Amino acid sequence: MVSSSEPVAKEVNKRHLNVVFIGHVDAGKSSIAGQILYLSGQVDERTIQKCQKDAKANGRESWFMAYIMDVNEEERAKGITVEVAQADFETETTRFTILDAPGHKSYVPNMISGTSQADIGVLVISARKGEFESGFQGGGQTCEHIQLAKTLGISKLLVVVNKMDDKTVNWSKKRYDEIESEMVPFLKFSGYNVKKDIQFLPISGLRGTNMKTRMDKKVCPWWDGQCLFEALDVIDVPPRDLNGPFRMPIFDKYKDMGAVVMGEVESGSVHEGDNLLVMPNKVKVKVVAIFFNEEKVKDKVNSAGLGENLRIRIIGIEEEDIRPGFVLCSIEKPIPVVNEFVAQMKILGLVDNTLLAAGYNANLHIHSVLENCEIMELFTQKIDPKTGKPVDPMKKKVVFVKIGDVVMCRIKVTNMICIEKFSDFQQLGRFSLRSNDKTIAIGKVTDIHA
Ligand code: GDP
């Protein structure tokens, strides 16, 4: 984690958004995130110089910006972002927490947990010759990330066309337009309203061009749109229910004068001294301290609300009794606990192009939960066009499904999990199924009383 030399003043009246960087490996996600931290004054010159030196020592000189975000030795050695790193910066209107998602294929589960915490996404595309193509076609991660982002609740995407400075691109408008026109149909297919939800921008993450300040016309005469910071500043996200019952899925935890749980507030607010429940094990706990991001005095707050990324110190429970995927929630309106639910899902891919039938086993990812699950039943359900609601007697069994199909299903998990109906809490009711490092399906929970 990057520690800035200057403490950041917490202006609580600014809105807070979590932003995740997604896209194919090597597209430039870590470089852009590192550059943002540098441009917004979160990283000093000394850190930059150290990263430059470390990168050089590892024979990876061009990676020095990425070094700011890629903090563990394993990542540096490989040049790959493994865990979801986290850092903060502010623009005029907004406090942002950057969740840097990994792009490598085998790290998609981490990308899912990073993305499920995010409000907006920055999809990074490399404009370098051949790189856009390998990221977008033939097994590239770009398409999978777009679909996951949509299911995981990222309603707005900034698509940054990066490496525009590369010598194979040289700020070519033709290349930029080509990438945009190839991506638009896929974004539409994935459920995005391109006019309302998507914005394209050309940048160079390595050089910091068109990021904090608008494009220098001498560098790129044809672009007169916004720079990245402006676009982030005015991005409009759907309002969430501020008065809902408190819900914070636990992403991680550790021991420190009690148990400290980490996660994002998906509903309601929390105050020091609150009595809450840890679900599904129904343990009553008391909140003794709340921190933004890091457990430091400068980050301590008395209360926090929706969308905040927090560390909360609780007493009344042993740290060993908490698992990632558990939910800290209000006592009056606790989150439902189930081991079976009904869902609608879309099949994205199947291992070795097999068919999917009842009895199929996969990994279920839903908010911070990761559990083994079995598909118990597959069926279609007719929707009443007047009410938009399913008509129950029209339930028809489906024997198997193939890629592209949308079906209803009943899913059973091994351990009890805390989830909500998608229609009540989108962030807690959307999921993905994965098997053998592949995303099999994405879906939403339609009923929790299976
Ligand atoms: P990630 O895997 O998406 O996080 O990608 P990195 O940030 O690690 O970058 C991968 C490689 O692309 C590194 O060698 C970077 O120096 C290079 N790179 C990233 N952004 C740019 C850019 O804007 N221009 C150029 N020319 N290279 C870049």
Side-chain angles (χ1 to χ4, degrees):
M1 189 60 45
V2 177
S3 56
S4 60
S5 54
E6 293 281 304
V8 188
K10 296 284 164 206
E11 278 192 51
V12 182
N13 54 356
K14 282 192 182 185
R15 69 172 179 162
H16 174 263
L17 292 178
N18 289 309
V19 50
V20 68
F21 287 77
I22 56 176
H24 196 66
V25 62
D26 279 358
K29 298 175 293 297
S30 306
S31 301
I32 294 168
Q35 186 70 260
I36 287 177
L37 294 182
Y38 175 62
L39 291 173
S40 61
Q42 302 293 297
V43 185
D44 55 24
E45 200 62 47
R46 262 216 328 266
T47 311
I48 296 276
Q49 279 165 6
K50 182 169 186 315
C51 288
Q52 253 166 335
K53 212 174 104 204
D54 289 355
K56 198 169 175 183
N58 272 342
R60 296 188 164 272
E61 245 168 300
S62 66
W63 249 277
F64 81 93
M65 265 298 165
Y67 264 47
I68 297 172
M69 281 304 280
D70 298 350
V71 281
N72 79 40
E73 285 300 322
E74 185 197 359
E75 291 174 22
R76 288 184 171 184
K78 285 202 236 155
I80 291 172
T81 317
V82 182
E83 283 162 42
V84 180
Q86 199 177 297
D88 271 1
F89 76 104
E90 292 185 20
T91 58
E92 293 283 310
T93 63
T94 315
R95 278 185 308 117
F96 287 98
T97 299
I98 304 177
L99 307 161
D100 179 36
H104 196 273
K105 216 180 184 131
S106 55
Y107 302 127
V108 172
N110 285 350
M111 182 255 163
I112 292 173
S113 44
T115 309
S116 64
Q117 292 182 65
D119 303 293
I120 58 165
V122 174
L123 171 64
V124 182
I125 304 290
S126 168
R128 183 182 285 164
K129 194 173 174 193
E131 283 190 1
F132 163 64
E133 287 73 13
S134 59
F136 193 55
Q137 300 150 356
Q141 295 291 286
T142 310
C143 299
E144 188 181 8
H145 282 193
I146 293 171
Q147 291 189 313
L148 287 173
K150 182 67 192 167
T151 333
L152 294 167
I154 308 283
S155 57
K156 300 281 164 120
L157 269 188
L158 290 179
V159 183
V160 297
V161 181
N162 188 35
K163 307 198 188 181
M164 288 296 291
D165 63 298
D166 186 77
K167 59 180 186 311
T168 64
V169 187
N170 200 17
W171 298 98
S172 154
K173 181 170 189 317
K174 190 163 159 261
R175 177 65 166 162
Y176 178 82
D177 290 344
E178 177 194 20
I179 291 172
E180 181 168 338
S181 61
E182 282 206 36
M183 292 206 53
V184 163
F186 189 79
L187 288 160
K188 281 189 185 156
F189 167 77
S190 307
Y192 282 105
N193 177 331
V194 173
K195 268 209 184 98
K196 282 199 342 229
D197 306 333
I198 306 285
Q199 190 178 347
F200 282 84
L201 287 171
I203 66 161
S204 164
L206 192 65
R207 292 170 204 279
T209 317
N210 202 35
M211 290 184 64
K212 193 179 180 187
T213 50
R214 283 202 173 199
M215 190 80 85
D216 182 346
K217 290 278 180 213
K218 279 189 244 128
V219 174
C220 177
W222 52 269
W223 180 259
D224 55 9
Q226 289 176 319
C227 59
L228 182 64
F229 275 44
E230 279 177 284
L232 284 169
D233 218 23
V234 297
I235 201 159
D236 197 19
V237 291
R240 292 205 249 167
D241 180 9
L242 292 170
N243 301 317
F246 182 70
R247 299 216 176 329
M248 186 180 95
I250 297 170
F251 176 61
D252 209 350
K253 46 113 197 200
Y254 56 92
K255 205 184 260 184
D256 186 14
M257 295 187 287
V260 177
V261 291
M262 298 163 67
E264 185 195 346
V265 181
E266 296 294 4
S267 168
S269 58
V270 60
H271 306 262
E272 208 178 283
D274 276 358
N275 291 308
L276 297 171
L277 273 185
V278 171
M279 294 293 271
N281 47 355
K282 295 198 184 76
V283 179
K284 253 194 191 171
V285 296
K286 192 182 179 78
V287 173
V288 289
I290 306 169
F291 302 91
F292 279 144
N293 300 311
E294 287 185 68
E295 205 191 327
K296 289 190 184 147
V297 176
K298 72 176 174 67
D299 282 344
K300 194 169 180 298
V301 287
N302 293 329
S303 65
L306 208 60
E308 296 290 358
N309 244 302
L310 303 177
R311 288 178 192 224
I312 302 183
R313 186 179 300 139
I314 49 179
I315 50 171
I317 192 166
E318 293 299 322
E319 183 261 351
E320 300 82 56
D321 295 333
I322 308 172
R323 289 224 319 262
F326 283 13
V327 178
L328 191 60
C329 63
S330 104
I331 295 179
E332 294 73 35
K333 286 193 184 153
I335 187 166
V337 179
V338 300
N339 69 348
E340 235 181 71
F341 61 93
V342 176
Q344 185 194 51
M345 66 176 182
K346 178 173 177 155
I347 313 299
L348 296 184
L350 292 166
V351 179
D352 300 329
N353 294 322
T354 46
L355 298 167
L356 187 151
Y360 192 90
N361 284 285
N363 291 323
L364 169 78
H365 294 260
I366 181 163
H367 59 85
S368 50
V369 169
L370 168 59
E371 273 292 335
N372 284 329
C373 75
E374 181 178 343
I375 298 177
M376 308 302 288
E377 186 188 13
L378 290 161
F379 55 95
T380 51
Q381 204 160 36
K382 198 169 173 182
I383 304 289
D384 182 339
K386 276 197 208 117
T387 60
K389 295 213 168 106
V391 188
D392 218 27
M394 292 308 293
K395 198 166 142 176
K396 220 174 93 188
K397 242 190 162 63
V398 173
V399 180
F400 62 82
V401 289
K402 50 189 189 320
I403 292 173
D405 286 353
V406 176
V407 278
M408 300 295 299
C409 61
R410 195 158 53 82
I411 293 178
K412 196 176 167 89
V413 281
T414 321
N415 294 302
M416 299 303 272
I417 55 168
C418 302
I419 58 171
E420 295 273 8
K421 269 162 71 170
F422 179 83
S423 54
D424 295 338
F425 294 85
Q426 292 193 12
Q427 305 283 359
L428 305 173
R430 52 165 63 94
F431 66 90
S432 60
L433 292 186
R434 291 181 51 83
S435 176
N436 287 359
D437 278 347
K438 212 168 159 178
T439 305
I440 304 300
I442 51 181
K444 38 190 165 187
V445 177
T446 56
D447 204 342
I448 45 180
H449 307 290

